[in-house]
Amino acid sequence: GLHTHFPHWRNYREYGGGMVTDWGAHHLDIAQWGLGMDASGPVEILPAPGGTQAKRGVKLVYADGVTVEHKDGFGVHFYGSEGEVQVNRGRFVFTRDGQEFAKFTRREDGGSLESALRKSEKRYLADAKIKLYRSESHTVDFLNCVKRRSKPITNEIVGSRSVICCHLMNLAYYHGEVMKWDPQRNRFVG
């Protein structure tokens, strides 16, 4: 009873939101997490330059001016004043001052994802002012939360905020219009 092909129903607007809501949910979840926006979201959505025919280019704009752009690439790519971090499922690249410091994108790179992460954390994050929460296993985190009657790292609020970003992006692709969003009320503005 399991399919052995990509379930194409996801690409129908009537049933799903295509790859924006499929893979986008995973990547936008990471972006929201890294931006400290798990309890918030964008305030403006800018359509792609190609209008309603575009497949890439929609931007989410946050209250602090940070933008998240949907485009081809590595997965999630954070640009900072001193470096860059690229993440994807089981892959990681950290560049500091233009020099690649740690990398794991495939076994041929040598080492492991864990060693690349530890190297970066030890050198640059040991005394970090802000540290994101961490889960070694979402399954273990969920089971522990059931025992403790607490919320898991990716709870319904975090998940809904990420999915809202996906839907806002799709609406910008479908309608090709600038939209204002109130992330606290989960409502369009104007």
Side-chain angles (χ1 to χ4, degrees), residues 98-142:
Q99 299 293 316
E100 193 173 274
F101 179 74
K103 173 181 179 178
F104 182 81
T105 58
R106 55 197 170 127
R107 288 193 173 146
E108 291 78 17
D109 290 339
S112 68
L113 175 62
E114 192 61 33
S115 66
L117 293 171
R118 286 185 200 273
K119 178 180 177 184
S120 300
E121 288 174 343
K122 184 178 179 181
R123 174 113 181 242
Y124 292 105
L125 299 176
D127 298 322
K129 293 176 187 170
I130 298 172
K131 289 193 178 194
L132 298 176
Y133 49 84
R134 185 176 181 159
S135 171
E136 298 297 329
S137 165
H138 285 312
T139 305
V140 172
D141 177 59
F142 175 76

Side-chain angles (χ1 to χ4, degrees), residues 14 55 82 88:
E14 296 84 358
K55 302 280 186 213
E82 297 175 19
N88 202 332

Side-chain angles (χ1 to χ4, degrees), residues 20 24 27-29 31-32 35 37 40-48 57-70 161-173 179 181:
V20 171
H27 294 305
L28 286 167
D29 185 59
Q32 288 274 110
L35 295 173
M37 290 291 157
S40 189
V43 296
E44 186 175 33
I45 303 86
L46 304 176
V58 166
K59 292 181 182 178
L60 303 176
V61 182
Y62 291 79
D64 61 2
V66 170
T67 61
V68 172
E69 181 178 357
H70 177 230
R161 296 291 183 168
S162 298
V163 171
I164 286 169
C165 290
C166 296
H167 290 305
L168 291 171
M169 278 190 168
N170 267 343
L171 287 169
Y173 283 118
M179 296 176 286
W181 180 253

Side-chain angles (χ1 to χ4, degrees), residues 2-7:
L2 295 176
H3 63 269
T4 57
H5 62 284
F6 180 78

